[in-house]
Amino acid sequence: MNPQDNRAIVNMLIFPIAPIVVIPVLSVLCQDMWHAAHYTPGEDGGEVEPAMALVMIPLLLIILAVVLSAITALNRWIARRFAPGNWWRIVVGVPRVLLAGVSLLLFSVSVGFFMGDVTAIGHWQIVCAWIAWLIVVTTFVGQQYRRLTE
C-alpha cells in the first residue's frame, strides 16, 4: 500500500466515519439525559427526533462526504490539467466551506440532541460527549483546512 492510499484511508476515517461513529456512541452514553429531556412516550413524534439524529443525519453526512471528495478530486484534476490561478481556489473553496459548515452543523445538532442538557457539565457523560465532539470537529476542520490550502 503506498502512502497516498494510507492518506485516503485516514481522511475517510476523519470524515464521515468519525462523526457517524460518535453519534450512536453518544446516544448510548447520554441516553438517560436525552431520554428524560426529549422523549415523551405516546407523544406524536417522540420517536422521530432520535431516528433523525441516528439515521438521517449520518446519511446526510455520507452524502456531504461524497460531495466534498468530488470537489477535492475535481480540484486536483483541474489543477494538474490546466494550472488555474487563484480564482479557481476561490470557486472551489466557497462551496467546500459551505458544505463543511453544514456538515459541522448537522453533527453538532445531532450530538447536542443526545446530550440533552448541553450545559450540565456536572455529569461525566456530558463532559465525555463534549470531548468527543471537540476531537471530531478539530480533526475535521484541520482536514478541510489542509484541503483548502493544497
Side-chain angles (χ1 to χ4, degrees):
M1 193 180 286
N2 64 27
Q4 187 73 11
D5 293 338
N6 288 339
R7 193 173 334 142
I9 291 170
V10 169
N11 283 330
M12 188 177 69
L13 290 174
I14 292 173
F15 184 75
I17 293 176
I20 291 172
V21 168
V22 166
I23 289 170
V25 166
L26 292 185
S27 76
V28 171
L29 182 69
C30 300
Q31 183 174 8
D32 296 337
M33 278 161 265
W34 73 261
H35 207 275
H38 295 288
Y39 183 74
T40 306
E43 181 183 319
D44 290 339
E47 296 82 16
V48 173
E49 291 92 354
M52 287 291 291
L54 280 172
V55 177
M56 290 306 296
I57 289 179
L59 285 175
L60 289 172
L61 290 176
I62 290 171
I63 292 168
L64 289 171
V66 170
V67 173
L68 284 170
S69 64
I71 289 174
T72 300
L74 177 68
N75 185 32
R76 290 178 182 169
W77 181 76
I78 294 289
R80 276 193 311 257
R81 181 134 178 142
F82 302 110
N86 280 339
W87 67 271
W88 177 251
R89 292 180 65 163
I90 293 171
V91 167
V92 173
V94 169
R96 175 175 288 285
V97 169
L98 290 174
L99 289 172
V102 168
S103 299
L104 286 176
L105 178 68
L106 288 173
F107 174 66
S108 298
V109 164
S110 183
V111 169
F113 171 75
F114 286 122
M115 283 187 211
D117 183 12
V118 295
T119 60
I121 300 297
H123 298 283
W124 66 270
Q125 295 97 330
I126 300 296
V127 172
C128 291
W130 275 112
I131 291 170
W133 178 86
L134 183 65
I135 290 169
V136 170
V137 167
T138 303
T139 55
F140 176 69
V141 168
Q143 176 192 42
Q144 295 306 311
Y145 179 76
R146 283 192 306 275
R147 295 274 169 79
L148 281 173
T149 58
E150 65 180 23

